Amino acid sequence: MAWEDELFSLLDDLEQQAEALYDVERGFELADRSRAEYQQVTLASRLMASVGSDVGLDVRGIGAVGGVLERVGSGWCLVSGSGQDWIVPLAAVVAVRGASDRSAPEVAWTPVSRLGLGSALRRLAEAGERCVFHSTDGRMLDGTVHRVGADFVEARVGEDARTVLVPFGALGAVQSRD
């Protein structure tokens, strides 16, 4: 073998080693970037990708709520269970089962999907339907949504239709009444 062939063979070998090292480094870099990008994924975006699926939610003060995930908005979701619907603020969700492995980034949501909890509760006020207000500490109020403020819902409860204000932060869910 001529010295030129040996030199080219050595250079080829060094080049292959450099490519292998680059591939290993690139693999670590891609894994690191993937972990870094995942921190941008929100619970709402994972739930948005799960619309139409059966999910189970563990909700603070209520326990398990299950059914078909019908809608997701900014800070809330709507689950249709056996004969009843649940509007659940995402802040009250402790755990989710059955969610999609995918995510739908909020920039891809429709303008209607970007509406907050107040919008969903205002729809209940317009409908005048009776519902059960579940608080995150386990209390329940039976009544109707009268008005919705910036960070609270005004409910009319009891036979005397007394007014009770429920802060969004204390609201575990609003359940439709059969």
Side-chain angles (χ1 to χ4, degrees):
M1 183 182 235
W3 70 270
E4 295 161 335
D5 291 336
E6 286 181 31
L7 179 62
F8 286 128
S9 177
L10 177 65
L11 291 174
D12 285 342
D13 186 45
L14 289 173
E15 187 174 326
Q16 289 174 356
Q17 287 178 25
E19 283 179 21
L21 287 172
Y22 174 77
D23 288 343
V24 168
E25 262 184 47
R26 179 117 169 101
F28 288 130
E29 180 183 341
L30 288 176
D32 189 45
R33 279 188 185 177
S34 176
R35 282 188 295 274
E37 286 298 316
Y38 194 73
Q39 73 183 353
Q40 303 300 319
V41 175
T42 63
L43 175 61
S45 69
R46 286 287 301 272
L47 289 175
M48 183 60 82
S50 305
V51 169
S53 302
D54 282 322
V55 296
L57 306 177
D58 292 337
V59 181
R60 189 175 296 113
I62 299 167
V65 171
V68 176
L69 184 62
E70 296 289 342
R71 177 169 279 173
V72 177
S74 181
W76 64 279
C77 66
L78 172 66
V79 176
S80 290
S82 54
Q84 49 195 302
D85 293 335
W86 295 82
I87 295 175
V88 181
L90 297 184
V93 174
V94 177
V96 178
R97 293 174 306 286
S100 171
D101 291 337
R102 302 188 67 213
S103 149
E106 293 184 29
V107 296
W109 293 11
T110 66
V112 172
S113 296
R114 293 189 182 128
L115 296 175
L117 177 61
S119 293
L121 295 174
R122 277 190 276 289
R123 296 294 293 264
L124 287 177
E126 290 168 9
E129 294 182 30
R130 294 188 61 75
C131 51
V132 179
F133 300 87
H134 295 267
S135 66
T136 55
D137 66 0
R139 296 183 211 181
M140 293 187 296
L141 298 169
D142 192 348
T144 58
V145 176
H146 181 63
R147 295 187 294 191
V148 180
D151 60 352
F152 71 96
V153 59
E154 183 178 311
R156 297 285 170 101
V157 300
E159 304 230 352
D160 58 350
R162 71 186 185 282
T163 299
V164 177
L165 305 180
V166 181
F168 288 171
L171 192 61
V174 178
Q175 174 187 10
S176 66
R177 199 155 154 74
D178 289 351

